[in-house]
Amino acid sequence: MPRQFSKAIFLILLVAVTDAGAPVVPESVSFYIAPSREVCLHEEFEEGRKVLLFFEVIRGGNFEIDFSVKDSNGQLVADVKEQKEYHVKFYPSQSGVYSMCFSNPNSAFQTKLVNLDISVEKTAQSDNMW
């Protein structure tokens, strides 16, 4: 591998990992959603630490699902319908367990494969970092 090419890859990785001084903890999960079913994942988030969620329907039917995020008090943080992919960024207003729910209500026969990426800053930062 040419030296310049490997140096460029290192710099890209360095920027991705450090996010200009705001380290993040990435997590990714893939799962299936059966027709007319809902799958909820639960994650503990700390107050003030920026959270970035991104999902993509990888396989199944028309690739569209419904997605919602609720805080530990049941308040909606995000709620979208019939999306193939979506991203949401938020700062939790309180620490606690947040629910990320995916539903496949419009499909009678097609199971969907979904990938969810979760990134959380290690420390609270200002909004200009992402």
Side-chain angles (χ1 to χ4, degrees):
M1 180 179 297
R3 189 170 190 83
Q4 287 180 324
F5 185 67
S6 63
K7 190 183 285 186
I9 290 174
F10 173 76
L11 289 175
I12 290 169
L13 290 174
L14 181 64
V15 169
V17 170
T18 62
D19 191 33
V24 297
V25 179
E27 186 177 328
S28 183
V29 62
S30 295
F31 52 91
Y32 289 95
I33 303 176
S36 302
R37 299 290 183 172
E38 181 177 72
V39 171
C40 292
L41 306 171
H42 308 281
E43 188 78 26
E44 189 166 354
F45 297 132
E46 291 185 31
E47 179 180 349
R49 291 189 181 180
K50 191 182 313 179
V51 175
L52 179 64
L53 306 173
F54 172 76
F55 81 80
E56 178 179 22
V57 180
I58 299 169
R59 187 179 315 139
N62 62 2
F63 294 90
E64 294 178 346
I65 60 170
D66 297 349
F67 172 67
S68 66
V69 179
K70 292 182 181 178
D71 67 16
S72 56
N73 291 326
Q75 296 293 327
L76 274 174
V77 174
D79 187 31
V80 294
K81 306 289 185 205
E82 300 178 359
Q83 296 294 309
K84 297 177 183 181
E85 62 182 43
Y86 187 76
H87 74 272
V88 61
K89 174 178 69 173
F90 66 96
Y91 294 90
S93 58
Q94 60 188 15
S95 295
V97 176
Y98 284 65
S99 299
M100 297 157 284
C101 295
F102 298 83
S103 61
N104 189 8
N106 299 323
S107 182
F109 306 106
Q110 294 290 324
T111 296
K112 308 234 171 104
L113 176 60
V114 177
N115 185 70
L116 171 65
D117 294 322
I118 303 169
S119 296
V120 181
E121 281 187 334
K122 289 185 178 181
T123 58
Q125 298 285 329
S126 64
D127 192 39
N128 62 7
M129 300 306 288
W130 279 357

Coordinates of all heavy atoms in Angstrom, one line a residue, residues 31-119:
F31 N -31.2 -6.7 13.3 CA -32.2 -7.6 13.8 C -33.3 -7.7 12.8 O -33.5 -6.8 11.9 CB -32.8 -7.1 15.1 CG -33.2 -5.6 15.1 CD1 -34.5 -5.3 14.8 CD2 -32.2 -4.6 15.3 CE1 -34.8 -3.9 14.7 CE2 -32.6 -3.3 15.3 CZ -33.9 -2.9 15.0
Y32 N -34.2 -8.7 12.9 CA -35.3 -8.9 12.1 C -36.6 -8.4 12.7 O -36.7 -8.6 14.0 CB -35.5 -10.4 11.7 CG -34.4 -10.9 10.8 CD1 -33.3 -11.5 11.3 CD2 -34.5 -10.7 9.4 CE1 -32.3 -12.0 10.4 CE2 -33.5 -11.2 8.6 CZ -32.4 -11.8 9.1 OH -31.4 -12.3 8.2
I33 N -37.5 -7.9 11.9 CA -38.9 -7.5 12.4 C -39.9 -8.3 11.6 O -40.0 -8.1 10.4 CB -39.1 -6.0 12.3 CG1 -38.1 -5.2 13.0 CG2 -40.5 -5.7 12.8 CD1 -38.2 -3.7 12.9
A34 N -40.6 -9.2 12.2 CA -41.7 -10.0 11.6 C -42.8 -9.1 11.1 O -43.0 -8.0 11.6 CB -42.2 -11.1 12.5
P35 N -43.6 -9.6 10.1 CA -44.8 -8.8 9.7 C -45.7 -8.4 10.8 O -45.9 -9.3 11.7 CB -45.4 -9.7 8.7 CG -44.4 -10.7 8.3 CD -43.5 -10.8 9.4
S36 N -46.2 -7.2 10.8 CA -47.1 -6.7 11.8 C -46.6 -6.8 13.3 O -47.4 -6.8 14.2 CB -48.5 -7.4 11.7 OG -49.0 -7.3 10.4
R37 N -45.3 -6.7 13.5 CA -44.7 -6.8 14.8 C -43.9 -5.6 15.1 O -43.6 -4.8 14.2 CB -43.8 -8.0 14.9 CG -44.5 -9.4 14.7 CD -45.4 -9.7 15.9 NE -45.9 -11.0 15.7 CZ -46.6 -11.6 16.6 NH1 -46.8 -11.1 17.7 NH2 -47.1 -12.8 16.3
E38 N -43.6 -5.4 16.4 CA -42.8 -4.3 16.9 C -41.6 -4.9 17.6 O -41.7 -5.9 18.4 CB -43.6 -3.4 17.8 CG -42.8 -2.3 18.3 CD -43.6 -1.3 19.2 OE1 -44.0 -1.7 20.3 OE2 -44.0 -0.2 18.7
V39 N -40.4 -4.3 17.5 CA -39.2 -4.7 18.2 C -38.7 -3.4 18.9 O -38.6 -2.4 18.3 CB -38.1 -5.2 17.3 CG1 -36.8 -5.4 18.0 CG2 -38.5 -6.5 16.7
C40 N -38.5 -3.5 20.2 CA -38.0 -2.3 21.0 C -36.6 -2.7 21.6 O -36.5 -3.8 22.1 CB -38.9 -1.9 22.1 SG -40.5 -1.2 21.5
L41 N -35.7 -1.8 21.5 CA -34.4 -1.9 22.1 C -34.3 -0.8 23.1 O -34.9 0.3 23.0 CB -33.3 -1.7 21.0 CG -33.4 -2.6 19.8 CD1 -32.4 -2.2 18.8 CD2 -33.2 -4.1 20.2
H42 N -33.6 -1.1 24.2 CA -33.5 -0.2 25.3 C -32.1 0.1 25.6 O -31.2 -0.8 25.7 CB -34.2 -0.8 26.6 CG -35.6 -1.2 26.2 ND1 -36.7 -0.3 26.1 CD2 -36.1 -2.4 25.9 CE1 -37.8 -1.0 25.8 NE2 -37.5 -2.3 25.7
E43 N -31.7 1.4 25.8 CA -30.4 1.8 26.0 C -30.4 2.9 27.1 O -31.2 3.8 27.1 CB -29.8 2.3 24.7 CG -28.3 2.6 24.8 CD -27.4 1.4 24.7 OE1 -27.9 0.3 24.2 OE2 -26.3 1.4 25.2
E44 N -29.4 2.8 28.0 CA -29.3 3.9 29.0 C -28.4 5.0 28.4 O -27.3 4.8 28.0 CB -28.7 3.3 30.3 CG -28.7 4.3 31.4 CD -28.4 3.7 32.7 OE1 -28.3 2.5 32.8 OE2 -28.3 4.5 33.7
F45 N -29.0 6.2 28.5 CA -28.3 7.4 28.0 C -28.1 8.4 29.2 O -29.1 8.5 30.0 CB -29.0 8.1 26.9 CG -29.1 7.3 25.6 CD1 -30.3 7.2 25.0 CD2 -28.0 6.6 25.1 CE1 -30.4 6.4 23.8 CE2 -28.1 5.9 23.9 CZ -29.3 5.8 23.3
E46 N -27.0 9.1 29.2 CA -26.8 10.1 30.3 C -27.2 11.5 29.8 O -27.0 11.9 28.7 CB -25.3 10.1 30.7 CG -24.9 8.8 31.4 CD -23.5 8.9 31.9 OE1 -23.0 10.0 32.3 OE2 -22.9 7.8 32.0
E47 N -27.7 12.3 30.7 CA -28.1 13.6 30.4 C -27.0 14.4 29.8 O -25.9 14.4 30.3 CB -28.6 14.3 31.7 CG -29.1 15.7 31.6 CD -29.5 16.4 32.9 OE1 -29.7 15.6 33.9 OE2 -29.7 17.6 32.9
G48 N -27.3 15.2 28.8 CA -26.4 16.1 28.1 C -25.4 15.5 27.2 O -24.7 16.2 26.5
R49 N -25.3 14.2 27.1 CA -24.4 13.6 26.2 C -25.1 13.3 24.8 O -26.1 12.6 24.8 CB -23.8 12.2 26.7 CG -22.9 12.4 27.9 CD -22.3 11.2 28.3 NE -21.4 11.4 29.4 CZ -20.7 10.5 30.0 NH1 -20.7 9.2 29.5 NH2 -20.0 10.7 31.0
K50 N -24.5 13.9 23.8 CA -25.1 13.8 22.5 C -25.3 12.4 22.0 O -24.4 11.6 22.1 CB -24.3 14.6 21.5 CG -25.0 14.8 20.2 CD -24.2 15.6 19.1 CE -23.5 16.8 19.7 NZ -22.7 17.5 18.8
V51 N -26.5 12.1 21.5 CA -26.8 10.7 21.0 C -27.2 10.9 19.5 O -28.0 11.7 19.1 CB -28.0 10.1 21.8 CG1 -28.4 8.8 21.2 CG2 -27.7 10.0 23.2
L52 N -26.6 10.0 18.7 CA -26.9 10.0 17.3 C -27.3 8.6 17.0 O -26.6 7.6 17.2 CB -25.7 10.3 16.4 CG -25.8 10.3 14.9 CD1 -26.9 11.3 14.5 CD2 -24.5 10.5 14.2
L53 N -28.6 8.5 16.4 CA -29.1 7.2 16.0 C -29.3 7.2 14.5 O -29.8 8.2 14.0 CB -30.5 6.9 16.7 CG -30.5 7.0 18.2 CD1 -32.0 6.9 18.7 CD2 -29.7 6.0 18.9
F54 N -29.0 6.1 13.9 CA -29.2 5.9 12.5 C -29.7 4.5 12.2 O -29.0 3.6 12.6 CB -27.9 6.2 11.7 CG -28.1 5.9 10.2 CD1 -28.8 6.8 9.4 CD2 -27.5 4.8 9.7 CE1 -28.9 6.5 8.0 CE2 -27.7 4.5 8.3 CZ -28.4 5.3 7.5
F55 N -30.8 4.4 11.5 CA -31.2 3.1 11.1 C -31.4 3.0 9.6 O -31.6 4.0 8.9 CB -32.5 2.6 11.8 CG -33.8 3.2 11.2 CD1 -34.4 2.6 10.1 CD2 -34.4 4.2 11.8 CE1 -35.5 3.1 9.6 CE2 -35.6 4.7 11.3 CZ -36.2 4.2 10.2
E56 N -31.3 1.8 9.1 CA -31.5 1.5 7.7 C -32.1 0.1 7.6 O -31.7 -0.8 8.2 CB -30.2 1.5 7.0 CG -30.2 1.2 5.5 CD -28.9 1.3 4.8 OE1 -27.8 1.1 5.5 OE2 -28.9 1.4 3.6
V57 N -33.2 0.0 6.7 CA -33.8 -1.3 6.4 C -33.0 -1.9 5.3 O -32.8 -1.3 4.2 CB -35.3 -1.1 6.0 CG1 -35.9 -2.5 5.7 CG2 -36.1 -0.4 7.1
I58 N -32.4 -3.0 5.6 CA -31.5 -3.7 4.7 C -32.2 -4.6 3.7 O -31.8 -4.8 2.6 CB -30.4 -4.4 5.5 CG1 -29.6 -3.4 6.3 CG2 -29.4 -5.2 4.5 CD1 -28.7 -4.1 7.3
R59 N -33.2 -5.3 4.2 CA -33.9 -6.3 3.4 C -35.4 -6.4 3.8 O -35.7 -6.2 5.0 CB -33.2 -7.6 3.6 CG -33.7 -8.7 2.7 CD -33.0 -10.1 2.9 NE -31.6 -9.9 3.0 CZ -30.8 -10.6 3.9 NH1 -31.4 -11.4 4.7 NH2 -29.5 -10.4 3.9
G60 N -36.2 -6.6 2.8 CA -37.6 -6.9 3.1 C -38.6 -6.0 2.5 O -38.7 -4.8 2.9
G61 N -39.5 -6.5 1.7 CA -40.6 -5.8 1.2 C -40.3 -4.5 0.5 O -39.4 -4.3 -0.2
N62 N -41.0 -3.4 1.0 CA -40.8 -2.1 0.4 C -39.8 -1.3 1.3 O -39.5 -0.2 1.0 CB -42.1 -1.3 0.4 CG -42.7 -1.1 1.8 OD1 -42.1 -1.5 2.8 ND2 -43.8 -0.5 1.9
F63 N -39.1 -2.0 2.2 CA -38.0 -1.5 3.0 C -38.5 -0.4 4.0 O -37.7 0.3 4.6 CB -36.9 -0.9 2.2 CG -36.2 -1.9 1.4 CD1 -36.6 -2.3 0.1 CD2 -35.1 -2.6 1.9 CE1 -35.9 -3.2 -0.6 CE2 -34.4 -3.5 1.2 CZ -34.8 -3.9 -0.1
E64 N -39.8 -0.2 4.2 CA -40.2 0.9 5.1 C -40.7 0.4 6.4 O -41.4 -0.6 6.5 CB -41.4 1.7 4.4 CG -40.9 2.4 3.1 CD -42.0 3.2 2.4 OE1 -43.2 2.9 2.7 OE2 -41.6 4.0 1.6
I65 N -40.3 1.1 7.5 CA -40.8 0.8 8.8 C -41.1 2.0 9.6 O -40.7 3.1 9.2 CB -39.7 -0.1 9.6 CG1 -38.4 0.7 9.7 CG2 -39.5 -1.4 9.0 CD1 -37.4 0.1 10.7
D66 N -41.7 1.9 10.7 CA -42.0 3.0 11.6 C -41.0 3.0 12.8 O -40.5 1.9 13.2 CB -43.4 2.9 12.2 CG -44.5 3.0 11.2 OD1 -44.2 3.3 10.0 OD2 -45.7 2.7 11.5
F67 N -40.6 4.1 13.3 CA -39.5 4.2 14.3 C -39.9 5.3 15.3 O -40.3 6.4 14.9 CB -38.2 4.6 13.6 CG -37.1 4.9 14.5 CD1 -36.5 3.9 15.3 CD2 -36.5 6.1 14.5 CE1 -35.4 4.2 16.1 CE2 -35.5 6.4 15.4 CZ -34.9 5.5 16.2
S68 N -39.7 5.0 16.6 CA -39.9 6.0 17.6 C -38.9 5.8 18.7 O -38.4 4.7 18.9 CB -41.3 5.9 18.2 OG -41.5 4.7 18.9
V69 N -38.6 6.9 19.4 CA -37.7 7.0 20.5 C -38.4 7.6 21.6 O -39.0 8.7 21.5 CB -36.4 7.7 20.2 CG1 -35.5 7.8 21.4 CG2 -35.7 7.2 19.0
K70 N -38.4 7.0 22.8 CA -39.0 7.6 24.0 C -38.0 7.6 25.2 O -37.2 6.7 25.3 CB -40.3 6.8 24.4 CG -41.4 6.8 23.4 CD -42.6 6.0 23.9 CE -43.7 6.1 22.9 NZ -44.9 5.3 23.3
D71 N -38.1 8.7 26.0 CA -37.3 8.8 27.1 C -37.8 7.9 28.3 O -38.9 7.2 28.1 CB -37.1 10.2 27.6 CG -38.3 10.9 28.1 OD1 -39.3 10.2 28.5 OD2 -38.3 12.1 28.2
S72 N -37.2 7.9 29.4 CA -37.6 7.0 30.5 C -39.0 7.4 31.1 O -39.5 6.6 31.8 CB -36.5 7.0 31.6 OG -36.3 8.3 32.1
N73 N -39.5 8.6 30.8 CA -40.8 9.0 31.2 C -41.9 8.7 30.2 O -43.0 9.1 30.3 CB -40.8 10.4 31.6 CG -40.1 10.7 32.9 OD1 -40.0 9.8 33.8 ND2 -39.4 11.8 33.0
G74 N -41.5 8.1 29.0 CA -42.4 7.9 27.9 C -42.7 9.0 27.0 O -43.5 9.0 26.1
Q75 N -41.9 10.1 27.1 CA -42.0 11.3 26.3 C -41.3 11.0 24.9 O -40.2 10.5 24.9 CB -41.4 12.5 26.9 CG -42.0 13.0 28.2 CD -43.4 13.5 27.9 OE1 -43.8 14.1 26.9 NE2 -44.3 13.3 28.9
L76 N -42.0 11.3 23.8 CA -41.4 11.1 22.5 C -40.2 12.0 22.2 O -40.3 13.2 22.4 CB -42.5 11.3 21.4 CG -43.4 10.2 21.1 CD1 -44.5 10.6 20.1 CD2 -42.6 9.0 20.5
V77 N -39.2 11.4 21.8 CA -38.0 12.2 21.3 C -38.0 12.2 19.8 O -37.6 13.2 19.2 CB -36.7 11.5 21.8 CG1 -35.4 12.1 21.2 CG2 -36.6 11.5 23.3
A78 N -38.4 11.1 19.2 CA -38.5 11.0 17.7 C -39.7 10.1 17.3 O -39.9 9.1 18.1 CB -37.3 10.5 17.1
D79 N -40.3 10.4 16.2 CA -41.4 9.5 15.8 C -41.6 9.7 14.3 O -42.0 10.8 13.8 CB -42.7 9.8 16.5 CG -43.9 8.9 16.2 OD1 -43.6 7.7 16.0 OD2 -45.0 9.3 16.3
V80 N -41.3 8.7 13.5 CA -41.4 8.7 12.0 C -42.1 7.5 11.5 O -42.1 6.4 12.1 CB -40.0 8.9 11.3 CG1 -39.4 10.2 11.7 CG2 -39.1 7.7 11.6
K81 N -42.8 7.7 10.4 CA -43.5 6.6 9.8 C -43.0 6.3 8.4 O -42.6 7.2 7.7 CB -45.0 7.0 9.7 CG -45.7 7.4 11.0 CD -45.8 6.3 11.9 CE -46.6 6.8 13.2 NZ -46.3 6.0 14.3
E82 N -43.0 5.0 8.1 CA -42.7 4.5 6.7 C -41.4 5.0 6.2 O -41.4 5.6 5.1 CB -43.9 4.8 5.8 CG -45.2 4.1 6.2 CD -46.4 4.4 5.3 OE1 -46.2 5.2 4.3 OE2 -47.5 3.9 5.6
Q83 N -40.3 4.8 6.9 CA -39.0 5.3 6.5 C -38.1 4.1 6.1 O -38.2 3.1 6.8 CB -38.4 6.1 7.6 CG -39.1 7.4 7.9 CD -39.1 8.4 6.8 OE1 -38.0 8.7 6.2 NE2 -40.3 8.8 6.4
K84 N -37.3 4.3 5.1 CA -36.3 3.3 4.7 C -35.0 3.5 5.5 O -34.3 2.5 5.8 CB -36.0 3.4 3.2 CG -37.2 3.1 2.4 CD -36.9 3.2 0.9 CE -38.2 3.0 0.1 NZ -38.0 3.1 -1.3
E85 N -34.7 4.7 5.9 CA -33.6 5.0 6.7 C -33.9 6.4 7.4 O -34.7 7.1 6.9 CB -32.3 5.1 5.9 CG -32.3 6.1 4.8 CD -31.0 6.1 4.1 OE1 -30.5 5.0 3.7 OE2 -30.4 7.2 3.8
Y86 N -33.2 6.6 8.5 CA -33.5 7.8 9.2 C -32.4 8.0 10.2 O -31.8 7.1 10.8 CB -34.9 7.7 9.9 CG -35.3 9.0 10.6 CD1 -35.8 10.0 9.9 CD2 -35.2 9.1 12.0 CE1 -36.3 11.2 10.5 CE2 -35.7 10.3 12.6 CZ -36.2 11.3 11.9 OH -36.6 12.5 12.5
H87 N -32.1 9.3 10.5 CA -31.2 9.6 11.6 C -31.7 10.7 12.5 O -32.5 11.5 12.0 CB -29.8 10.0 11.1 CG -29.7 11.3 10.5 ND1 -30.0 11.6 9.2 CD2 -29.4 12.5 11.1 CE1 -29.9 12.9 9.0 NE2 -29.5 13.5 10.1
V88 N -31.4 10.6 13.8 CA -31.9 11.6 14.7 C -30.7 11.8 15.7 O -30.0 10.9 16.1 CB -33.1 11.1 15.5 CG1 -32.9 9.8 16.3 CG2 -33.7 12.2 16.4
K89 N -30.6 13.1 16.0 CA -29.6 13.5 17.0 C -30.3 14.3 18.1 O -31.2 15.1 17.9 CB -28.6 14.5 16.3 CG -27.6 15.1 17.3 CD -26.6 16.0 16.5 CE -27.3 17.3 16.0 NZ -26.3 18.2 15.5
F90 N -30.0 13.9 19.3 CA -30.6 14.6 20.5 C -29.7 14.6 21.7 O -28.7 13.8 21.8 CB -32.0 14.0 20.8 CG -31.9 12.6 21.3 CD1 -31.9 12.3 22.7 CD2 -31.8 11.5 20.4 CE1 -31.9 11.0 23.1 CE2 -31.8 10.2 20.9 CZ -31.8 9.9 22.2
Y91 N -30.0 15.5 22.6 CA -29.3 15.5 23.9 C -30.3 15.1 24.9 O -31.4 15.8 25.1 CB -28.9 16.9 24.2 CG -27.8 17.5 23.4 CD1 -28.1 18.2 22.2 CD2 -26.5 17.3 23.7 CE1 -27.1 18.7 21.4 CE2 -25.5 17.8 22.9 CZ -25.8 18.5 21.7 OH -24.8 19.0 20.9
P92 N -30.1 13.9 25.6 CA -31.1 13.5 26.6 C -31.3 14.6 27.7 O -30.3 15.2 28.2 CB -30.5 12.3 27.2 CG -29.6 11.8 26.1 CD -29.1 13.0 25.4
S93 N -32.5 14.9 28.0 CA -32.8 15.9 29.0 C -32.7 15.4 30.4 O -32.7 16.1 31.4 CB -34.2 16.5 28.8 OG -35.2 15.4 28.8
Q94 N -32.6 14.0 30.5 CA -32.4 13.4 31.8 C -31.7 12.1 31.5 O -31.9 11.5 30.5 CB -33.8 13.2 32.5 CG -34.7 12.3 31.7 CD -36.1 12.3 32.3 OE1 -36.4 13.1 33.2 NE2 -36.9 11.3 31.9
S95 N -31.0 11.6 32.5 CA -30.4 10.3 32.4 C -31.5 9.2 32.6 O -32.4 9.4 33.4 CB -29.3 10.1 33.5 OG -28.3 11.0 33.3
G96 N -31.3 8.1 31.9 CA -32.3 7.0 32.1 C -32.3 6.1 30.9 O -31.5 6.2 30.0
V97 N -33.2 5.1 30.9 CA -33.3 4.1 29.9 C -34.3 4.7 28.8 O -35.4 5.0 29.1 CB -33.8 2.8 30.4 CG1 -34.0 1.8 29.3 CG2 -32.8 2.2 31.4
Y98 N -33.8 4.7 27.6 CA -34.6 5.2 26.4 C -35.0 4.0 25.6 O -34.2 3.0 25.5 CB -33.7 6.2 25.6 CG -33.6 7.6 26.2 CD1 -33.0 7.8 27.4 CD2 -34.2 8.7 25.6 CE1 -32.9 9.0 28.0 CE2 -34.2 9.9 26.2 CZ -33.5 10.1 27.4 OH -33.4 11.3 28.0
S99 N -36.2 4.0 25.0 CA -36.7 3.0 24.2 C -36.7 3.4 22.7 O -37.1 4.5 22.4 CB -38.1 2.6 24.6 OG -38.2 2.2 25.9
M100 N -36.1 2.5 21.9 CA -36.1 2.7 20.4 C -36.9 1.6 19.8 O -36.5 0.5 19.9 CB -34.6 2.7 19.9 CG -33.8 3.8 20.5 SD -32.0 3.5 20.5 CE -31.9 2.3 21.9
C101 N -38.1 2.0 19.3 CA -39.0 1.0 18.8 C -39.2 1.0 17.3 O -39.3 2.1 16.7 CB -40.4 1.1 19.5 SG -40.3 0.8 21.3
F102 N -39.2 -0.1 16.7 CA -39.3 -0.3 15.3 C -40.6 -1.2 15.1 O -40.7 -2.2 15.7 CB -38.1 -1.0 14.7 CG -36.9 -0.3 14.8 CD1 -36.1 -0.4 16.0 CD2 -36.4 0.5 13.8 CE1 -34.9 0.3 16.1 CE2 -35.2 1.2 13.9 CZ -34.5 1.1 15.1
S103 N -41.5 -0.7 14.2 CA -42.6 -1.6 13.9 C -42.8 -1.7 12.4 O -42.4 -0.9 11.6 CB -43.9 -1.0 14.5 OG -44.1 0.3 14.0
N104 N -43.4 -2.9 12.0 CA -43.6 -3.3 10.7 C -45.1 -3.5 10.4 O -45.5 -4.5 10.1 CB -42.8 -4.6 10.5 CG -42.7 -5.0 9.0 OD1 -43.1 -4.3 8.1 ND2 -42.2 -6.2 8.8
P105 N -45.9 -2.4 10.6 CA -47.4 -2.6 10.6 C -48.0 -2.7 9.2 O -49.1 -3.3 9.1 CB -47.9 -1.3 11.2 CG -46.8 -0.3 10.8 CD -45.5 -1.0 10.9
N106 N -47.3 -2.3 8.2 CA -47.9 -2.3 6.9 C -47.5 -3.5 6.0 O -47.9 -3.6 4.9 CB -47.5 -1.0 6.1 CG -48.0 0.2 6.8 OD1 -49.1 0.2 7.3 ND2 -47.2 1.2 6.8
S107 N -46.8 -4.5 6.7 CA -46.4 -5.7 5.9 C -47.1 -6.9 6.5 O -47.1 -7.2 7.7 CB -44.9 -5.8 6.1 OG -44.5 -7.0 5.3
A108 N -47.9 -7.6 5.6 CA -48.6 -8.8 6.0 C -47.7 -10.0 5.9 O -48.0 -11.0 6.5 CB -49.9 -8.9 5.2
F109 N -46.7 -10.0 5.0 CA -45.9 -11.2 4.7 C -44.4 -11.0 4.8 O -43.7 -12.0 4.9 CB -46.3 -11.7 3.3 CG -47.7 -11.9 3.1 CD1 -48.5 -11.0 2.3 CD2 -48.4 -13.0 3.7 CE1 -49.8 -11.2 2.1 CE2 -49.7 -13.1 3.5 CZ -50.5 -12.3 2.7
Q110 N -43.9 -9.8 4.7 CA -42.5 -9.5 4.6 C -41.8 -9.2 6.0 O -42.1 -8.2 6.6 CB -42.2 -8.4 3.7 CG -42.6 -8.7 2.2 CD -41.7 -9.7 1.6 OE1 -40.5 -9.7 1.8 NE2 -42.3 -10.5 0.8
T111 N -40.8 -10.1 6.3 CA -40.0 -9.8 7.5 C -38.9 -8.8 7.0 O -38.4 -8.9 5.9 CB -39.3 -11.1 8.0 OG1 -40.3 -11.9 8.5 CG2 -38.3 -10.8 9.1
K112 N -38.5 -7.9 7.8 CA -37.5 -6.9 7.5 C -36.3 -7.0 8.3 O -36.3 -7.4 9.5 CB -38.1 -5.5 7.7 CG -39.5 -5.3 7.0 CD -39.5 -4.1 6.1 CE -40.8 -4.1 5.3 NZ -41.8 -3.2 5.7
L113 N -35.1 -6.8 7.7 CA -33.8 -6.8 8.4 C -33.4 -5.3 8.5 O -33.4 -4.6 7.6 CB -32.8 -7.6 7.6 CG -31.4 -7.6 8.1 CD1 -31.3 -8.2 9.5 CD2 -30.4 -8.3 7.2
V114 N -33.2 -4.9 9.8 CA -32.8 -3.5 10.1 C -31.5 -3.5 10.8 O -31.1 -4.3 11.6 CB -33.9 -3.0 11.1 CG1 -33.6 -1.5 11.5 CG2 -35.3 -3.0 10.4
N115 N -30.7 -2.4 10.4 CA -29.5 -2.2 11.1 C -29.6 -0.8 11.9 O -30.1 0.2 11.3 CB -28.3 -2.1 10.1 CG -27.0 -1.9 10.9 OD1 -26.5 -2.8 11.5 ND2 -26.4 -0.7 10.8
L116 N -29.2 -0.8 13.1 CA -29.3 0.4 13.9 C -27.9 0.7 14.4 O -27.2 -0.1 15.0 CB -30.2 0.2 15.1 CG -30.2 1.3 16.2 CD1 -30.7 2.6 15.6 CD2 -31.0 0.9 17.4
D117 N -27.4 2.0 14.2 CA -26.2 2.5 14.7 C -26.5 3.5 15.8 O -27.3 4.4 15.6 CB -25.3 3.1 13.6 CG -24.9 2.1 12.5 OD1 -24.5 1.0 12.9 OD2 -24.9 2.5 11.3
I118 N -25.8 3.3 16.9 CA -25.9 4.2 18.0 C -24.6 4.8 18.3 O -23.6 4.0 18.5 CB -26.5 3.5 19.3 CG1 -27.8 2.8 19.0 CG2 -26.6 4.5 20.4 CD1 -28.2 1.9 20.1
S119 N -24.4 6.1 18.4 CA -23.2 6.8 18.8 C -23.5 7.7 19.9 O -24.5 8.5 19.8 CB -22.6 7.5 17.6 OG -22.2 6.7 16.6

